Short mmCIF file of all heavy atoms in Angstrom, two decimals:
data_model
loop_
_atom_site.label_atom_id
_atom_site.label_comp_id
_atom_site.label_asym_id
_atom_site.label_seq_id
_atom_site.Cartn_x
_atom_site.Cartn_y
_atom_site.Cartn_z
N MET A 277 117.39 107.34 103.64
CA MET A 277 116.18 108.17 103.58
C MET A 277 115.69 108.31 102.15
O MET A 277 116.10 109.21 101.43
CB MET A 277 116.47 109.56 104.15
CG MET A 277 116.85 109.57 105.63
SD MET A 277 115.45 109.11 106.67
CE MET A 277 116.18 109.32 108.31
N SER A 278 114.89 107.39 101.69
CA SER A 278 114.42 107.45 100.31
C SER A 278 112.94 107.84 100.22
O SER A 278 112.54 108.64 99.39
CB SER A 278 114.64 106.13 99.61
OG SER A 278 114.10 105.07 100.37
N ASP A 279 112.13 107.29 101.13
CA ASP A 279 110.68 107.54 101.04
C ASP A 279 110.24 108.67 101.96
O ASP A 279 110.09 108.50 103.16
CB ASP A 279 109.95 106.24 101.39
CG ASP A 279 108.46 106.34 101.10
OD1 ASP A 279 108.02 107.32 100.48
OD2 ASP A 279 107.74 105.43 101.51
N LYS A 280 110.03 109.83 101.36
CA LYS A 280 109.63 110.98 102.17
C LYS A 280 108.20 111.41 101.88
O LYS A 280 107.69 112.33 102.50
CB LYS A 280 110.58 112.15 101.92
CG LYS A 280 111.74 112.15 102.90
CD LYS A 280 112.15 113.58 103.19
CE LYS A 280 112.65 113.72 104.63
NZ LYS A 280 112.79 115.12 105.01
N LYS A 281 107.54 110.75 100.93
CA LYS A 281 106.21 111.23 100.52
C LYS A 281 105.10 110.96 101.52
O LYS A 281 104.23 111.77 101.71
CB LYS A 281 105.84 110.70 99.14
CG LYS A 281 105.99 109.21 98.96
CD LYS A 281 105.67 108.84 97.51
CE LYS A 281 105.69 107.35 97.32
NZ LYS A 281 107.05 106.87 97.06
N HIS A 282 105.16 109.82 102.20
CA HIS A 282 104.11 109.57 103.19
C HIS A 282 104.67 108.97 104.45
O HIS A 282 105.31 107.94 104.45
CB HIS A 282 103.03 108.66 102.62
CG HIS A 282 101.84 108.59 103.54
ND1 HIS A 282 100.89 109.58 103.59
CD2 HIS A 282 101.49 107.67 104.46
CE1 HIS A 282 100.01 109.25 104.52
NE2 HIS A 282 100.34 108.11 105.06
N LYS A 283 104.40 109.64 105.53
CA LYS A 283 104.90 109.19 106.81
C LYS A 283 103.80 108.42 107.54
O LYS A 283 102.66 108.87 107.59
CB LYS A 283 105.26 110.43 107.62
CG LYS A 283 106.32 110.17 108.62
CD LYS A 283 106.85 111.51 109.07
CE LYS A 283 108.05 111.33 109.95
NZ LYS A 283 108.56 112.64 110.35
N THR A 284 104.15 107.31 108.11
CA THR A 284 103.16 106.54 108.84
C THR A 284 103.09 106.97 110.30
O THR A 284 104.01 107.57 110.83
CB THR A 284 103.50 105.03 108.82
OG1 THR A 284 104.75 104.83 109.45
CG2 THR A 284 103.52 104.48 107.41
N LEU A 285 101.99 106.61 110.92
CA LEU A 285 101.81 106.89 112.33
C LEU A 285 102.93 106.23 113.13
O LEU A 285 103.41 106.78 114.12
CB LEU A 285 100.45 106.33 112.77
CG LEU A 285 100.08 106.57 114.24
CD1 LEU A 285 99.77 108.03 114.49
CD2 LEU A 285 98.90 105.72 114.63
N CYS A 286 103.33 105.07 112.66
CA CYS A 286 104.41 104.34 113.32
C CYS A 286 105.66 105.20 113.41
O CYS A 286 106.34 105.23 114.43
CB CYS A 286 104.69 103.06 112.54
SG CYS A 286 103.19 102.17 112.07
N ALA A 287 105.96 105.94 112.34
CA ALA A 287 107.12 106.81 112.31
C ALA A 287 106.88 108.05 113.19
O ALA A 287 107.79 108.51 113.88
CB ALA A 287 107.42 107.23 110.89
N TYR A 288 105.66 108.56 113.16
CA TYR A 288 105.34 109.74 113.98
C TYR A 288 105.50 109.44 115.46
O TYR A 288 105.97 110.28 116.23
CB TYR A 288 103.89 110.19 113.72
CG TYR A 288 103.73 111.04 112.50
CD1 TYR A 288 102.78 110.72 111.53
CD2 TYR A 288 104.50 112.19 112.31
CE1 TYR A 288 102.61 111.50 110.40
CE2 TYR A 288 104.34 112.98 111.19
CZ TYR A 288 103.39 112.63 110.24
OH TYR A 288 103.22 113.41 109.12
N VAL A 289 105.09 108.26 115.86
CA VAL A 289 105.17 107.90 117.27
C VAL A 289 106.63 107.82 117.72
O VAL A 289 106.96 108.21 118.84
CB VAL A 289 104.41 106.58 117.55
CG1 VAL A 289 104.70 106.07 118.96
CG2 VAL A 289 102.91 106.81 117.40
N GLU A 290 107.49 107.38 116.81
CA GLU A 290 108.92 107.34 117.14
C GLU A 290 109.46 108.75 117.39
O GLU A 290 110.39 108.94 118.15
CB GLU A 290 109.70 106.66 116.02
CG GLU A 290 109.86 105.18 116.31
CD GLU A 290 110.35 104.39 115.13
OE1 GLU A 290 111.24 104.89 114.41
OE2 GLU A 290 109.83 103.28 114.92
N GLU A 291 108.85 109.71 116.73
CA GLU A 291 109.25 111.11 116.94
C GLU A 291 108.46 111.77 118.05
O GLU A 291 108.54 112.97 118.26
CB GLU A 291 109.00 111.91 115.65
CG GLU A 291 109.95 111.55 114.55
CD GLU A 291 109.66 112.37 113.30
OE1 GLU A 291 108.70 113.16 113.29
OE2 GLU A 291 110.42 112.22 112.33
N GLU A 292 107.63 110.99 118.72
CA GLU A 292 106.80 111.45 119.83
C GLU A 292 105.81 112.55 119.45
O GLU A 292 105.61 113.51 120.20
CB GLU A 292 107.68 111.92 121.00
CG GLU A 292 108.56 110.79 121.51
CD GLU A 292 109.20 111.12 122.84
OE1 GLU A 292 109.84 112.19 122.92
OE2 GLU A 292 109.04 110.34 123.79
N LEU A 293 105.15 112.35 118.29
CA LEU A 293 104.11 113.30 117.90
C LEU A 293 102.99 113.34 118.94
O LEU A 293 102.42 114.40 119.20
CB LEU A 293 103.52 112.90 116.53
CG LEU A 293 102.44 113.84 115.99
CD1 LEU A 293 103.04 115.15 115.51
CD2 LEU A 293 101.64 113.19 114.86
N GLN A 294 102.72 112.20 119.55
CA GLN A 294 101.66 112.14 120.57
C GLN A 294 101.94 113.04 121.77
O GLN A 294 101.03 113.44 122.48
CB GLN A 294 101.41 110.68 121.01
CG GLN A 294 102.46 110.05 121.91
CD GLN A 294 103.65 109.49 121.13
OE1 GLN A 294 103.94 109.90 120.03
NE2 GLN A 294 104.34 108.54 121.73
N VAL A 295 103.22 113.37 121.96
CA VAL A 295 103.61 114.26 123.05
C VAL A 295 103.69 115.71 122.54
O VAL A 295 103.16 116.63 123.15
CB VAL A 295 104.98 113.85 123.64
CG1 VAL A 295 105.44 114.82 124.71
CG2 VAL A 295 104.90 112.43 124.20
N LYS A 296 104.34 115.87 121.37
CA LYS A 296 104.58 117.21 120.82
C LYS A 296 103.34 117.86 120.25
O LYS A 296 103.17 119.07 120.31
CB LYS A 296 105.62 117.14 119.71
CG LYS A 296 106.99 116.71 120.19
CD LYS A 296 107.92 116.67 118.98
CE LYS A 296 109.17 115.85 119.25
NZ LYS A 296 109.76 115.39 118.00
N ASP A 297 102.47 117.05 119.63
CA ASP A 297 101.28 117.59 118.97
C ASP A 297 100.13 116.60 119.09
O ASP A 297 99.76 115.94 118.13
CB ASP A 297 101.61 117.89 117.51
CG ASP A 297 100.53 118.70 116.81
OD1 ASP A 297 99.47 118.94 117.43
OD2 ASP A 297 100.73 119.07 115.65
N ALA A 298 99.60 116.50 120.31
CA ALA A 298 98.56 115.53 120.60
C ALA A 298 97.34 115.69 119.69
O ALA A 298 96.72 114.71 119.28
CB ALA A 298 98.14 115.64 122.06
N LYS A 299 97.03 116.94 119.33
CA LYS A 299 95.87 117.21 118.50
C LYS A 299 95.99 116.56 117.12
O LYS A 299 95.06 115.92 116.63
CB LYS A 299 95.70 118.72 118.34
CG LYS A 299 94.27 119.16 118.44
CD LYS A 299 94.21 120.68 118.45
CE LYS A 299 92.78 121.13 118.18
NZ LYS A 299 92.71 122.60 118.08
N SER A 300 97.15 116.73 116.50
CA SER A 300 97.39 116.11 115.20
C SER A 300 97.41 114.60 115.31
O SER A 300 96.91 113.88 114.44
CB SER A 300 98.72 116.57 114.62
OG SER A 300 98.73 117.95 114.48
N PHE A 301 97.99 114.14 116.41
CA PHE A 301 98.06 112.71 116.64
C PHE A 301 96.66 112.10 116.73
O PHE A 301 96.36 111.09 116.10
CB PHE A 301 98.85 112.43 117.92
CG PHE A 301 98.96 110.99 118.26
CD1 PHE A 301 99.84 110.16 117.56
CD2 PHE A 301 98.18 110.42 119.26
CE1 PHE A 301 99.94 108.81 117.87
CE2 PHE A 301 98.28 109.07 119.57
CZ PHE A 301 99.16 108.27 118.88
N ILE A 302 95.80 112.75 117.50
CA ILE A 302 94.43 112.26 117.68
C ILE A 302 93.68 112.24 116.36
O ILE A 302 92.93 111.31 116.07
CB ILE A 302 93.71 113.10 118.77
CG1 ILE A 302 94.30 112.77 120.14
CG2 ILE A 302 92.20 112.80 118.78
CD1 ILE A 302 93.95 113.77 121.24
N SER A 303 93.93 113.24 115.51
CA SER A 303 93.24 113.27 114.22
C SER A 303 93.67 112.11 113.32
O SER A 303 92.94 111.72 112.41
CB SER A 303 93.44 114.62 113.52
OG SER A 303 94.75 114.72 113.03
N LEU A 304 94.84 111.56 113.57
CA LEU A 304 95.30 110.41 112.81
C LEU A 304 94.68 109.11 113.29
O LEU A 304 94.50 108.16 112.53
CB LEU A 304 96.82 110.27 112.90
CG LEU A 304 97.70 111.25 112.12
CD1 LEU A 304 99.14 111.12 112.57
CD2 LEU A 304 97.59 111.00 110.64
N ILE A 305 94.34 109.06 114.56
CA ILE A 305 93.85 107.80 115.13
C ILE A 305 92.35 107.72 115.31
O ILE A 305 91.82 106.65 115.59
CB ILE A 305 94.56 107.47 116.46
CG1 ILE A 305 94.28 108.54 117.52
CG2 ILE A 305 96.07 107.30 116.25
CD1 ILE A 305 94.72 108.15 118.91
N GLN A 306 91.65 108.83 115.16
CA GLN A 306 90.20 108.81 115.35
C GLN A 306 89.44 109.19 114.09
O GLN A 306 89.80 110.18 113.45
CB GLN A 306 89.80 109.77 116.47
CG GLN A 306 89.97 109.15 117.82
CD GLN A 306 89.36 110.04 118.91
OE1 GLN A 306 89.27 111.24 118.77
NE2 GLN A 306 88.96 109.46 119.99
N PRO A 307 88.34 108.50 113.73
CA PRO A 307 87.88 107.27 114.35
C PRO A 307 88.66 106.08 113.80
O PRO A 307 88.81 105.95 112.59
CB PRO A 307 86.41 107.19 113.93
CG PRO A 307 86.38 107.91 112.61
CD PRO A 307 87.49 108.94 112.63
N ALA A 308 89.17 105.26 114.66
CA ALA A 308 90.02 104.15 114.24
C ALA A 308 89.23 103.09 113.47
O ALA A 308 88.17 102.64 113.90
CB ALA A 308 90.68 103.53 115.46
N THR A 309 89.74 102.75 112.30
CA THR A 309 89.11 101.71 111.48
C THR A 309 90.08 100.57 111.23
O THR A 309 89.67 99.48 110.85
CB THR A 309 88.68 102.28 110.12
OG1 THR A 309 89.82 102.82 109.48
CG2 THR A 309 87.63 103.36 110.26
N HIS A 310 91.35 100.84 111.42
CA HIS A 310 92.38 99.85 111.16
C HIS A 310 93.40 99.88 112.30
O HIS A 310 93.45 100.84 113.06
CB HIS A 310 93.11 100.17 109.85
CG HIS A 310 92.28 99.95 108.64
ND1 HIS A 310 91.23 100.78 108.30
CD2 HIS A 310 92.32 98.98 107.70
CE1 HIS A 310 90.67 100.32 107.19
NE2 HIS A 310 91.30 99.22 106.80
N PHE A 311 94.20 98.85 112.35
CA PHE A 311 95.33 98.86 113.28
C PHE A 311 96.55 98.32 112.58
O PHE A 311 96.45 97.73 111.50
CB PHE A 311 95.01 98.08 114.56
CG PHE A 311 94.97 96.59 114.38
CD1 PHE A 311 96.08 95.81 114.67
CD2 PHE A 311 93.82 95.96 113.93
CE1 PHE A 311 96.05 94.42 114.51
CE2 PHE A 311 93.78 94.58 113.76
CZ PHE A 311 94.89 93.81 114.05
N CYS A 312 97.69 98.56 113.18
CA CYS A 312 98.94 98.11 112.57
C CYS A 312 99.32 96.75 113.14
O CYS A 312 99.48 96.60 114.35
CB CYS A 312 100.04 99.13 112.84
SG CYS A 312 101.59 98.62 112.10
N GLU A 313 99.44 95.81 112.24
CA GLU A 313 99.83 94.46 112.66
C GLU A 313 101.28 94.43 113.13
O GLU A 313 101.68 93.55 113.86
CB GLU A 313 99.67 93.51 111.48
CG GLU A 313 98.62 92.47 111.70
CD GLU A 313 98.62 91.41 110.61
OE1 GLU A 313 99.16 91.64 109.51
OE2 GLU A 313 98.06 90.35 110.87
N GLY A 314 102.04 95.40 112.65
CA GLY A 314 103.45 95.46 113.02
C GLY A 314 103.68 96.00 114.42
O GLY A 314 104.46 95.47 115.18
N CYS A 315 102.96 97.10 114.77
CA CYS A 315 103.22 97.69 116.07
C CYS A 315 101.98 97.87 116.94
O CYS A 315 102.09 98.43 118.02
CB CYS A 315 104.00 98.99 115.92
SG CYS A 315 103.62 99.91 114.46
N GLY A 316 100.83 97.42 116.48
CA GLY A 316 99.64 97.42 117.32
C GLY A 316 98.94 98.75 117.49
O GLY A 316 98.04 98.87 118.32
N ARG A 317 99.30 99.76 116.70
CA ARG A 317 98.65 101.06 116.83
C ARG A 317 97.38 101.09 115.99
O ARG A 317 97.32 100.48 114.95
CB ARG A 317 99.60 102.15 116.37
CG ARG A 317 100.77 102.20 117.30
CD ARG A 317 101.79 103.23 116.87
NE ARG A 317 102.81 103.23 117.90
CZ ARG A 317 104.08 102.85 117.71
NH1 ARG A 317 104.51 102.53 116.53
NH2 ARG A 317 104.91 102.82 118.71
N SER A 318 96.39 101.87 116.48
CA SER A 318 95.17 101.98 115.70
C SER A 318 95.14 103.31 114.97
O SER A 318 95.68 104.31 115.44
CB SER A 318 93.95 101.82 116.60
OG SER A 318 94.01 102.69 117.70
N VAL A 319 94.50 103.31 113.80
CA VAL A 319 94.47 104.49 112.95
C VAL A 319 93.13 104.66 112.24
O VAL A 319 92.37 103.72 112.07
CB VAL A 319 95.53 104.45 111.83
CG1 VAL A 319 96.85 104.97 112.29
CG2 VAL A 319 95.61 103.11 111.19
N ALA A 320 92.90 105.90 111.76
CA ALA A 320 91.69 106.19 111.00
C ALA A 320 91.87 105.78 109.54
O ALA A 320 90.91 105.37 108.88
CB ALA A 320 91.37 107.68 111.10
N LYS A 321 93.08 105.89 109.03
CA LYS A 321 93.32 105.56 107.62
C LYS A 321 94.40 104.48 107.51
O LYS A 321 95.49 104.64 108.06
CB LYS A 321 93.78 106.81 106.86
CG LYS A 321 92.64 107.77 106.63
CD LYS A 321 93.08 108.84 105.67
CE LYS A 321 92.82 110.22 106.24
NZ LYS A 321 93.84 111.18 105.88
N PRO A 322 94.07 103.41 106.78
CA PRO A 322 95.01 102.29 106.67
C PRO A 322 96.38 102.67 106.12
O PRO A 322 97.38 102.05 106.48
CB PRO A 322 94.30 101.30 105.75
CG PRO A 322 93.21 102.06 105.09
CD PRO A 322 92.84 103.17 106.02
N GLU A 323 96.42 103.70 105.28
CA GLU A 323 97.72 104.08 104.70
C GLU A 323 98.65 104.75 105.72
O GLU A 323 99.80 105.01 105.43
CB GLU A 323 97.53 104.98 103.46
CG GLU A 323 96.84 106.30 103.73
CD GLU A 323 95.34 106.25 103.50
OE1 GLU A 323 94.71 105.19 103.72
OE2 GLU A 323 94.78 107.27 103.09
N ASP A 324 98.12 105.02 106.89
CA ASP A 324 98.93 105.67 107.91
C ASP A 324 99.72 104.73 108.83
O ASP A 324 100.37 105.18 109.77
CB ASP A 324 98.07 106.62 108.76
CG ASP A 324 97.65 107.86 107.98
OD1 ASP A 324 98.35 108.21 107.01
OD2 ASP A 324 96.65 108.47 108.33
N VAL A 325 99.62 103.43 108.58
CA VAL A 325 100.45 102.50 109.36
C VAL A 325 101.26 101.61 108.43
O VAL A 325 100.95 101.49 107.24
CB VAL A 325 99.62 101.61 110.34
CG1 VAL A 325 99.25 102.38 111.59
CG2 VAL A 325 98.43 100.99 109.66
N CYS A 326 102.27 100.95 108.99
CA CYS A 326 103.15 100.14 108.14
C CYS A 326 102.52 98.81 107.72
O CYS A 326 102.75 98.33 106.63
CB CYS A 326 104.51 99.95 108.79
SG CYS A 326 104.48 99.36 110.50
N LYS A 327 101.70 98.20 108.61
CA LYS A 327 101.06 96.94 108.26
C LYS A 327 99.58 96.98 108.63
O LYS A 327 99.16 96.45 109.65
CB LYS A 327 101.74 95.77 108.99
CG LYS A 327 103.04 95.33 108.39
CD LYS A 327 103.62 94.14 109.12
CE LYS A 327 103.01 92.83 108.65
NZ LYS A 327 103.59 91.67 109.36
N PRO A 328 98.76 97.68 107.80
CA PRO A 328 97.35 97.86 108.13
C PRO A 328 96.53 96.57 108.15
O PRO A 328 96.71 95.70 107.31
CB PRO A 328 96.84 98.80 107.03
CG PRO A 328 97.80 98.66 105.93
CD PRO A 328 99.11 98.30 106.52
N LYS A 329 95.66 96.50 109.13
CA LYS A 329 94.73 95.38 109.24
C LYS A 329 93.41 95.97 109.72
O LYS A 329 93.40 96.80 110.61
CB LYS A 329 95.29 94.39 110.28
CG LYS A 329 94.48 93.15 110.45
CD LYS A 329 95.14 91.96 109.81
CE LYS A 329 94.30 90.71 110.03
NZ LYS A 329 94.73 89.61 109.16
N LYS A 330 92.30 95.54 109.08
CA LYS A 330 91.01 96.11 109.42
C LYS A 330 90.53 95.68 110.80
O LYS A 330 90.69 94.53 111.19
CB LYS A 330 89.98 95.66 108.37
CG LYS A 330 88.98 96.73 108.07
CD LYS A 330 88.17 96.38 106.81
CE LYS A 330 87.39 97.59 106.40
NZ LYS A 330 86.00 97.59 106.72
N LEU A 331 89.93 96.63 111.53
CA LEU A 331 89.34 96.30 112.82
C LEU A 331 88.03 95.57 112.53
O LEU A 331 87.29 95.98 111.64
CB LEU A 331 89.04 97.56 113.64
CG LEU A 331 90.24 98.35 114.18
CD1 LEU A 331 89.75 99.65 114.79
CD2 LEU A 331 90.99 97.55 115.22
N LYS A 332 87.73 94.54 113.25
CA LYS A 332 86.53 93.70 113.07
C LYS A 332 86.62 92.78 111.87
O LYS A 332 86.97 93.25 110.79
CB LYS A 332 85.27 94.57 112.92
CG LYS A 332 84.85 95.13 114.25
CD LYS A 332 83.56 95.91 114.09
CE LYS A 332 83.29 96.74 115.34
NZ LYS A 332 82.16 97.66 115.12
ZN1 LIG B 28 103.32 100.04 112.31
#
């Protein structure tokens, strides 16, 4: 556990944020501008995923 400064959506999903706090989860993914090439999740901010790739 070395990097605690920024958590990615990928990590949040592993902790089931989408179940525990759907509202916060939705604020991370809307409006989606990028997606994660590593796990296929879409996000509003590229820094919130492990392998950001622009939509379109
Ligand atoms: Zn990812």
Side-chain angles (χ1 to χ4, degrees):
M277 297 291 184
S278 52
D279 190 9
K280 269 213 147 192
K281 51 184 185 275
H282 189 79
K283 207 165 188 179
T284 62
L285 181 71
C286 315
Y288 278 128
V289 170
E290 267 167 41
E291 289 180 357
E292 300 193 307
L293 181 73
Q294 74 277 24
V295 176
K296 295 179 198 158
D297 191 354
K299 222 173 165 185
S300 301
F301 179 76
I302 289 164
S303 73
L304 286 168
I305 62 169
Q306 277 189 333
T309 57
H310 290 72
F311 72 96
C312 181
E313 245 188 341
C315 33
R317 294 178 177 115
S318 52
V319 274
K321 287 190 233 145
E323 63 265 33
D324 288 337
V325 281
C326 51
K327 282 183 82 180
K329 183 106 179 166
K330 216 167 191 258
L331 291 172
K332 285 183 193 171

